[in-house]
mmCIF file of all heavy atoms in Angstrom:
data_model
loop_
_atom_site.group_PDB
_atom_site.id
_atom_site.type_symbol
_atom_site.label_atom_id
_atom_site.label_comp_id
_atom_site.label_asym_id
_atom_site.label_seq_id
_atom_site.Cartn_x
_atom_site.Cartn_y
_atom_site.Cartn_z
ATOM 1 N N ASN F 331 -28.638 13.436 -8.544
ATOM 2 C CA ASN F 331 -28.391 12.020 -8.231
ATOM 3 C C ASN F 331 -29.634 11.327 -7.661
ATOM 4 O O ASN F 331 -29.578 10.620 -6.656
ATOM 5 C CB ASN F 331 -27.229 11.888 -7.233
ATOM 6 C CG ASN F 331 -26.552 10.517 -7.345
ATOM 7 O OD1 ASN F 331 -26.443 9.963 -8.424
ATOM 8 N ND2 ASN F 331 -26.125 9.974 -6.219
ATOM 9 N N GLY F 332 -30.757 11.510 -8.334
ATOM 10 C CA GLY F 332 -31.993 10.841 -7.942
ATOM 11 C C GLY F 332 -32.937 11.686 -7.122
ATOM 12 O O GLY F 332 -34.095 11.299 -6.895
ATOM 13 N N ARG F 333 -32.499 12.855 -6.681
ATOM 14 C CA ARG F 333 -33.349 13.678 -5.817
ATOM 15 C C ARG F 333 -34.571 14.222 -6.537
ATOM 16 O O ARG F 333 -35.635 14.395 -5.928
ATOM 17 C CB ARG F 333 -32.518 14.824 -5.225
ATOM 18 C CG ARG F 333 -31.548 14.341 -4.143
ATOM 19 C CD ARG F 333 -30.455 15.370 -3.886
ATOM 20 N NE ARG F 333 -29.602 14.994 -2.760
ATOM 21 C CZ ARG F 333 -28.634 14.082 -2.814
ATOM 22 N NH1 ARG F 333 -28.403 13.443 -3.960
ATOM 23 N NH2 ARG F 333 -27.910 13.801 -1.754
ATOM 24 N N THR F 334 -34.448 14.500 -7.822
ATOM 25 C CA THR F 334 -35.599 14.988 -8.575
ATOM 26 C C THR F 334 -36.704 13.947 -8.611
ATOM 27 O O THR F 334 -37.894 14.276 -8.505
ATOM 28 C CB THR F 334 -35.177 15.367 -10.011
ATOM 29 O OG1 THR F 334 -34.191 16.404 -9.952
ATOM 30 C CG2 THR F 334 -36.368 15.868 -10.809
ATOM 31 N N ASP F 335 -36.334 12.663 -8.745
ATOM 32 C CA ASP F 335 -37.339 11.598 -8.724
ATOM 33 C C ASP F 335 -38.018 11.516 -7.366
ATOM 34 O O ASP F 335 -39.231 11.297 -7.275
ATOM 35 C CB ASP F 335 -36.686 10.248 -9.060
ATOM 36 C CG ASP F 335 -36.234 10.167 -10.512
ATOM 37 O OD1 ASP F 335 -36.825 10.882 -11.342
ATOM 38 O OD2 ASP F 335 -35.310 9.399 -10.805
ATOM 39 N N VAL F 336 -37.234 11.685 -6.293
ATOM 40 C CA VAL F 336 -37.812 11.649 -4.948
ATOM 41 C C VAL F 336 -38.758 12.834 -4.756
ATOM 42 O O VAL F 336 -39.831 12.707 -4.165
ATOM 43 C CB VAL F 336 -36.711 11.656 -3.874
ATOM 44 C CG1 VAL F 336 -37.329 11.581 -2.469
ATOM 45 C CG2 VAL F 336 -35.735 10.502 -4.082
ATOM 46 N N LEU F 337 -38.365 13.990 -5.271
ATOM 47 C CA LEU F 337 -39.194 15.188 -5.145
ATOM 48 C C LEU F 337 -40.551 14.995 -5.805
ATOM 49 O O LEU F 337 -41.564 15.541 -5.348
ATOM 50 C CB LEU F 337 -38.468 16.383 -5.772
ATOM 51 C CG LEU F 337 -39.180 17.731 -5.720
ATOM 52 C CD1 LEU F 337 -39.318 18.199 -4.273
ATOM 53 C CD2 LEU F 337 -38.415 18.766 -6.548
ATOM 54 N N ALA F 338 -40.607 14.206 -6.860
ATOM 55 C CA ALA F 338 -41.860 13.988 -7.587
ATOM 56 C C ALA F 338 -42.808 13.047 -6.849
ATOM 57 O O ALA F 338 -43.958 12.895 -7.249
ATOM 58 C CB ALA F 338 -41.563 13.434 -8.977
ATOM 59 N N ASP F 339 -42.341 12.438 -5.780
ATOM 60 C CA ASP F 339 -43.138 11.472 -5.021
ATOM 61 C C ASP F 339 -43.868 12.184 -3.892
ATOM 62 O O ASP F 339 -43.244 12.720 -2.976
ATOM 63 C CB ASP F 339 -42.213 10.391 -4.453
ATOM 64 C CG ASP F 339 -42.978 9.214 -3.884
ATOM 65 O OD1 ASP F 339 -43.942 9.444 -3.139
ATOM 66 O OD2 ASP F 339 -42.604 8.065 -4.183
ATOM 67 N N GLU F 340 -45.182 12.186 -3.934
ATOM 68 C CA GLU F 340 -45.964 12.935 -2.951
ATOM 69 C C GLU F 340 -45.761 12.413 -1.532
ATOM 70 O O GLU F 340 -45.790 13.178 -0.578
ATOM 71 C CB GLU F 340 -47.451 12.895 -3.312
ATOM 72 C CG GLU F 340 -47.794 13.665 -4.576
ATOM 73 C CD GLU F 340 -49.290 13.713 -4.832
ATOM 74 O OE1 GLU F 340 -50.047 13.191 -3.981
ATOM 75 O OE2 GLU F 340 -49.697 14.257 -5.871
ATOM 76 N N VAL F 341 -45.571 11.121 -1.385
ATOM 77 C CA VAL F 341 -45.388 10.542 -0.056
ATOM 78 C C VAL F 341 -43.923 10.562 0.351
ATOM 79 O O VAL F 341 -43.558 10.988 1.444
ATOM 80 C CB VAL F 341 -45.930 9.099 -0.008
ATOM 81 C CG1 VAL F 341 -45.649 8.464 1.356
ATOM 82 C CG2 VAL F 341 -47.421 9.082 -0.299
ATOM 83 N N GLY F 342 -43.049 10.103 -0.536
ATOM 84 C CA GLY F 342 -41.649 9.918 -0.189
ATOM 85 C C GLY F 342 -40.811 11.175 -0.170
ATOM 86 O O GLY F 342 -39.713 11.174 0.394
ATOM 87 N N ARG F 343 -41.311 12.285 -0.743
ATOM 88 C CA ARG F 343 -40.468 13.472 -0.876
ATOM 89 C C ARG F 343 -40.050 14.062 0.465
ATOM 90 O O ARG F 343 -39.039 14.750 0.546
ATOM 91 C CB ARG F 343 -41.159 14.539 -1.715
ATOM 92 C CG ARG F 343 -42.328 15.229 -1.049
ATOM 93 C CD ARG F 343 -42.699 16.505 -1.835
ATOM 94 N NE ARG F 343 -43.147 16.186 -3.167
ATOM 95 C CZ ARG F 343 -44.377 16.420 -3.628
ATOM 96 N NH1 ARG F 343 -45.275 16.982 -2.826
ATOM 97 N NH2 ARG F 343 -44.707 16.114 -4.849
ATOM 98 N N SER F 344 -40.795 13.805 1.516
ATOM 99 C CA SER F 344 -40.400 14.387 2.797
ATOM 100 C C SER F 344 -39.098 13.810 3.314
ATOM 101 O O SER F 344 -38.497 14.363 4.240
ATOM 102 C CB SER F 344 -41.515 14.205 3.835
ATOM 103 O OG SER F 344 -41.771 12.836 4.067
ATOM 104 N N ALA F 345 -38.622 12.723 2.718
ATOM 105 C CA ALA F 345 -37.288 12.216 3.067
ATOM 106 C C ALA F 345 -36.216 13.250 2.737
ATOM 107 O O ALA F 345 -35.144 13.265 3.356
ATOM 108 C CB ALA F 345 -37.000 10.913 2.328
ATOM 109 N N LEU F 346 -36.507 14.131 1.778
ATOM 110 C CA LEU F 346 -35.563 15.183 1.399
ATOM 111 C C LEU F 346 -35.521 16.311 2.420
ATOM 112 O O LEU F 346 -34.681 17.202 2.319
ATOM 113 C CB LEU F 346 -35.922 15.752 0.024
ATOM 114 C CG LEU F 346 -35.838 14.779 -1.161
ATOM 115 C CD1 LEU F 346 -36.259 15.478 -2.444
ATOM 116 C CD2 LEU F 346 -34.431 14.214 -1.312
ATOM 117 N N HIS F 347 -36.415 16.290 3.402
ATOM 118 C CA HIS F 347 -36.367 17.299 4.458
ATOM 119 C C HIS F 347 -35.188 17.072 5.403
ATOM 120 O O HIS F 347 -34.830 17.966 6.158
ATOM 121 C CB HIS F 347 -37.650 17.259 5.294
ATOM 122 C CG HIS F 347 -38.881 17.639 4.539
ATOM 123 N ND1 HIS F 347 -40.109 17.791 5.151
ATOM 124 C CD2 HIS F 347 -39.098 17.908 3.228
ATOM 125 C CE1 HIS F 347 -41.019 18.118 4.254
ATOM 126 N NE2 HIS F 347 -40.424 18.184 3.068
ATOM 127 N N CYS F 348 -34.617 15.876 5.361
ATOM 128 C CA CYS F 348 -33.593 15.466 6.331
ATOM 129 C C CYS F 348 -32.429 16.446 6.385
ATOM 130 O O CYS F 348 -31.894 16.854 5.357
ATOM 131 C CB CYS F 348 -33.079 14.077 5.978
ATOM 132 S SG CYS F 348 -31.770 13.480 7.053
ATOM 133 N N ILE F 349 -32.031 16.821 7.616
ATOM 134 C CA ILE F 349 -30.888 17.712 7.806
ATOM 135 C C ILE F 349 -29.674 16.939 8.323
ATOM 136 O O ILE F 349 -28.709 17.532 8.816
ATOM 137 C CB ILE F 349 -31.220 18.884 8.744
ATOM 138 C CG1 ILE F 349 -31.680 18.386 10.117
ATOM 139 C CG2 ILE F 349 -32.278 19.780 8.112
ATOM 140 C CD1 ILE F 349 -31.908 19.512 11.123
ATOM 141 N N ARG F 350 -29.724 15.598 8.225
ATOM 142 C CA ARG F 350 -28.591 14.720 8.543
ATOM 143 C C ARG F 350 -28.132 14.857 9.995
ATOM 144 O O ARG F 350 -26.935 14.876 10.276
ATOM 145 C CB ARG F 350 -27.418 14.978 7.603
ATOM 146 C CG ARG F 350 -27.734 14.913 6.125
ATOM 147 C CD ARG F 350 -28.098 13.505 5.657
ATOM 148 N NE ARG F 350 -28.139 13.445 4.208
ATOM 149 C CZ ARG F 350 -29.236 13.633 3.477
ATOM 150 N NH1 ARG F 350 -30.387 13.886 4.077
ATOM 151 N NH2 ARG F 350 -29.193 13.570 2.164
#
Side-chain angles (χ1 to χ4, degrees):
N331 205 35
R333 287 162 174 78
T334 299
D335 291 334
V336 181
L337 181 65
D339 191 313
E340 292 185 3
V341 176
R343 71 166 64 116
S344 62
L346 297 178
H347 295 187
C348 178
I349 58 175
R350 307 293 191 267

